[in-house]
């Protein structure tokens, strides 16, 4: 199975290891000019590393995977889908921007499949199934160590250096959370798309000095009953904002595209 990766950083490196264990191979990487040398140094010589989408697509991967952030997905996602490639995305939070979501859905309707993995969050299969019967409420709570919120809007909402106990610094809709915290809230977007949507899904974000990883809590109720799922995920050593489960979930979604038995 040949994989083309859009954006090669900490997420891409973690994804590559799992893909190779599953029998897949990265054949091409698409990035910005400024990042090409770093990607070339990290990847085998037979991998095409380029800033040109046409050259990237010419390698004809079986699937493309996006790890480029919101802007990278907005720039390259629609044309990857329009060209007929299946696209598995990491930057799910970008879909909180209505024009971006519309562009991706329109391209997917005419071309390749847009595949949205669960990321670091469990239970999205149950949430999506429960939606068929009707959902009354979906709530997501994120607890991360103060250092995981550095470099984000949280720095203007709470004194990260002074947090000594679990502290909620944001409460609002999933759309607001995903747009305000693009590096931290991709799971918020995934839960929204599986459940009640961006504007009806409620979110609380917390800085918690007591957690040893990233804690995700998903709660829902509706005609099906009630759901409550908690995940404590270890973080990527190179990026505490991202859970190790995120690249593992991406790899699962990629590899499942070619499996004959899918669980």
């Amino acid at each position: 199975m040949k994989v083309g990766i859009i954006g090669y950083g900490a997420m891409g490196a973690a994804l590559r290891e799992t893909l190779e264990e599953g029998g897949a191979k990265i054949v091409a990487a698409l990035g910005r000019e400024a990042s090409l040398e770093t990607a070339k140094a990290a990847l085998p010589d037979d991998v095409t590393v380029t800033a040109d989408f046409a050259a990237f697509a010419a390698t004809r991967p079986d699937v493309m995977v996006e790890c480029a952030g919101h802007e990278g997905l907005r720039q390259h996602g629609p044309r990857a889908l329009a060209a007929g490639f299946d696209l598995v995305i990491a930057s799910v939070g970008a879909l909180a921007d209505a024009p971006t979501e519309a562009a991706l859905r329109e391209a997917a309707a005419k071309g390749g499949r847009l595949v949205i993995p669960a990321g670091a969050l469990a239970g999205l299969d149950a949430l999506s199934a429960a939606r068929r019967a009707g959902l009354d409420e979906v709530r997501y709570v994120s607890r991360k160590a103060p250092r995981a919120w550095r470099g984000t809007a949280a720095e203007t909402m709470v004194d990260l250096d002074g947090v000594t106990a679990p502290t909620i610094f944001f409460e609002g809709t999933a759309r607001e959370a995903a747009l305000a915290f693009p590096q931290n809230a991709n799971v918020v977007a995934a839960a929204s798309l599986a459940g009640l949507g961006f504007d009806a899904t409620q979110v609380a974000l917390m800085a918690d000095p007591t957690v040893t990883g990233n804690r995700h809590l998903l709660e829902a109720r509706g005609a099906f009953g009630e759901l409550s799922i908690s995940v404590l995920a270890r973080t990527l050593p190179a990026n505490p904002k991202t859970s190790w489960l995120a690249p593992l979930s991406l790899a699962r979604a990629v590899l499942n595209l070619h499996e004959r038995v899918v669980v």
Side-chain angles (χ1 to χ4, degrees):
M1 183 181 188
K2 299 190 300 181
V3 179
I5 186 166
I6 301 172
Y8 192 84
M11 177 77 80
L15 171 65
R16 175 190 166 198
E17 181 178 350
T18 306
L19 286 177
E20 290 179 346
E21 289 175 354
K25 174 178 172 54
I26 293 177
V27 296
L30 178 68
R32 295 170 297 179
E33 287 286 355
S35 66
L36 294 188
E37 290 305 316
T38 300
K40 286 179 180 178
L43 290 163
D45 292 339
D46 61 349
V47 176
T48 297
V49 180
T50 179
D52 179 66
F53 182 84
F56 174 68
T59 64
R60 303 307 301 173
D62 298 305
V63 59
M64 292 184 179
V65 185
E66 173 276 317
C67 300
H70 288 203
E71 184 54 39
L73 177 58
R74 279 191 286 268
Q75 181 180 356
H76 301 298
R79 57 179 169 176
L81 292 165
F85 293 99
D86 290 341
L87 178 66
V88 181
I89 65 172
S91 305
V92 186
L95 276 74
D97 176 65
T100 299
E101 181 180 9
L104 289 167
R105 287 186 180 274
E106 181 180 353
K110 301 174 182 177
R113 288 175 294 178
L114 177 64
V115 181
I116 298 171
L121 193 59
L124 293 195
D125 52 345
L127 182 63
S128 182
R131 182 184 63 190
R132 307 293 177 179
L135 289 166
D136 297 322
E137 181 181 14
V138 178
R139 177 176 168 81
Y140 166 78
V141 180
S142 173
R143 291 173 178 253
K144 296 183 179 182
R147 70 187 184 98
W149 297 108
R150 296 197 184 283
T152 76
E155 292 182 327
T156 66
M157 300 176 180
V158 63
D159 178 8
L160 294 174
D161 292 326
V163 172
T164 59
T167 302
I168 296 175
F169 61 84
F170 172 90
E171 287 187 285
T173 68
R175 190 180 303 278
E176 293 166 338
L179 293 176
F181 299 91
Q183 294 176 291
N184 297 79
N186 286 319
V187 290
V188 170
S192 301
L193 293 165
L196 282 176
F198 285 103
D199 297 311
T201 302
Q202 297 302 306
V203 173
L205 304 179
M206 302 178 66
D208 185 350
T210 69
V211 296
T212 56
N214 293 341
R215 173 75 72 180
H216 307 280
L217 175 64
L218 178 66
E219 298 177 318
R221 61 179 180 84
F224 76 100
E226 296 184 357
L227 176 151
S228 180
I229 297 175
S230 178
V231 177
L232 178 60
R234 293 181 178 178
T235 62
L236 285 179
N239 183 4
K241 294 179 175 63
T242 300
S243 301
W244 189 26
L245 272 174
L248 294 174
S249 177
L250 274 177
R252 173 184 178 273
V254 170
L255 295 171
N256 273 355
L257 288 174
H258 278 239
E259 292 290 344
R260 304 311 302 169
V261 179
V262 179
V263 179

